[in-house]
Amino acid sequence: LPHLFPCRYPFPPHSGDGLPPKILVLVADPRHAFTVWWQTLGQLEPDVSVNLDLKSFISEVAEKGLKLFGSYFEHTAAWAKEAEEHPDSVHLCMVDHLGSLDRQEVRLEMLEIAKFLCVPHESVDRLVEAIFHRPPDASSSLSRDRLVDEAVLKGGHIIENTGQNLCAFQTALDSTNGVVTELWQSMFRLLLKTDNTCLVEIAQKAMHGSASLPPMVKTGAFRGEAAHAAGLCRPCVFNLRGICRDSADICLYCHAEGHQRTKRAPQRVRKQRQLQRRMRTPSPDRF
């Protein structure tokens, strides 16, 4: 909470050279945040770890008020208020965007952070490039960390994958009883009451459940060593022709060897399919 922040805050007027102190607050869709916390709790020391599957963890949080470092919703709302009252000192950062497999989405969020922290845009481009080009020694280096996402060690995205966590949480939540679901809905509604644009958007997505999940391709389900070994990946048709503009680290489809080159449908057929999809999709203007 802001009043417990371990320094003198709000910050006094800045004078002299250099930049004044700034606070970057990481916020996320609660489904993503709580999935990360569940993964973290499973890797702590035995006396403080939580040995629960995700469904049980979700139920414990809803029914017994299990908390990690206080109430996520209370803390998020409090810092959102601070960001509105002190925009030069406090900024909310959307972690969901940073964990996206969409390079442009990550870059746009990074640019907002850079603007707030007065960091040159060139640094953003270098950082995004590093995120989407996995270093050869990433697995060996990260394996020495105490807390690490197992998917990263197996060749996954180097930052916690938002799409995967959203899908995992929603699948687990949908398998619980109606009481647990309603309790989570009531917690999501707490963010609606903040009137903060960022948090309201997060709450609305969470309350829409499965309908708000990203496309499967953005969860990384169609690529990676595990998906390829299990035969669940989808090959990149452009890579098979040697014309994919993205590397294997960036592309959302599989670049691993062993896929048969497929014959692409003629342009006439592709346009006809595209037209059919448009005819089946209702226009947003009608609602």
Side-chain angles (χ1 to χ4, degrees), residues 209-224:
S210 299
S212 66
L213 295 178
M216 283 299 294
V217 67
K218 289 193 175 183
T219 67
F222 298 152
R223 69 175 193 183

Side-chain angles (χ1 to χ4, degrees), residues 144-160:
R144 295 193 289 269
D145 290 350
R146 183 182 178 189
L147 302 174
V148 61
D149 185 357
E150 290 298 321
V152 176
L153 299 180
K154 298 178 181 178
H157 193 49
I158 205 164
I159 295 180
E160 287 91 347

Side-chain angles (χ1 to χ4, degrees), residues 16 38 52 60 78 102 104 108 110 120 133 183 189 197 211 214 230 232 246 279 283:
W38 167 71
L52 297 170
E60 289 278 322
D102 185 330
Q104 184 63 9
L108 290 175
M110 286 286 190
H133 285 85
L183 287 172
R189 283 192 285 270
T197 303
L232 301 176
D246 298 324
M279 293 175 64
S283 169

Side-chain angles (χ1 to χ4, degrees), residues 7-203:
C7 71
R8 188 169 61 166
Y9 178 81
F11 301 124
H14 180 69
S15 61
D17 298 330
L19 296 173
K22 292 175 180 286
I23 301 174
L24 187 66
V25 182
L26 306 182
V27 299
D29 185 314
R31 298 173 294 178
H32 177 39
F34 277 87
T35 301
V36 172
W37 289 345
W38 167 71
Q39 294 167 344
T40 301
L41 288 172
Q43 300 181 55
L44 298 178
E45 298 298 332
D47 57 332
V48 293
S49 65
V50 176
N51 187 21
L52 297 170
D53 59 32
L54 184 54
K55 177 182 176 181
S56 301
F57 173 74
I58 288 172
S59 299
E60 289 278 322
V61 172
E63 297 178 323
K64 299 183 180 180
L66 179 65
K67 296 178 181 179
L68 180 66
F69 311 128
S71 169
Y72 172 80
F73 300 95
E74 180 184 353
H75 287 207
T76 302
W79 279 111
K81 183 178 180 181
E82 292 298 316
E84 291 179 353
E85 295 179 354
H86 308 284
D88 293 333
S89 300
V90 182
H91 176 73
L92 299 186
C93 164
M94 283 285 289
V95 177
D96 297 347
H97 296 162
L98 298 180
S100 171
L101 294 183
D102 185 330
R103 185 189 182 109
Q104 184 63 9
E105 190 173 11
V106 175
R107 184 176 183 276
L108 290 175
E109 189 64 35
M110 286 286 190
L111 286 172
E112 288 295 319
I113 296 174
K115 180 180 178 181
F116 173 68
L117 298 177
C118 301
V119 174
H121 287 185
E122 295 77 11
S123 299
V124 170
D125 293 331
R126 289 197 297 270
L127 182 55
V128 174
E129 187 74 12
I131 291 174
F132 283 89
H133 285 85
R134 181 185 175 91
D137 61 344
S139 295
S140 60
S141 298
L142 291 172
S143 64
R144 295 193 289 269
D145 290 350
R146 183 182 178 189
L147 302 174
V148 61
D149 185 357
E150 290 298 321
V152 176
L153 299 180
K154 298 178 181 178
H157 193 49
I158 205 164
I159 295 180
E160 287 91 347
N161 188 319
T162 302
Q164 284 184 354
N165 287 342
L166 290 176
C167 290
F169 184 99
Q170 194 61 53
T171 298
L173 180 62
D174 290 344
S175 65
T176 62
N177 58 54
V179 174
V180 172
T181 301
E182 181 52 38
L183 287 172
W184 274 99
Q185 287 289 320
S186 65
M187 288 189 281
F188 296 153
R189 283 192 285 270
L190 294 175
L191 298 181
L192 285 177
K193 298 177 181 179
T194 64
D195 292 328
N196 178 278
T197 303
C198 176
L199 298 188
V200 169
E201 179 185 348
I202 288 175

Side-chain angles (χ1 to χ4, degrees), residues 235-246 251 253 255 264:
C236 172
V237 295
F238 297 107
N239 178 61
L240 293 174
R241 292 173 173 78
I243 59 173
C244 184
R245 298 178 180 177
D246 298 324
C251 186
Y253 295 91
H255 278 218
R264 194 181 187 191

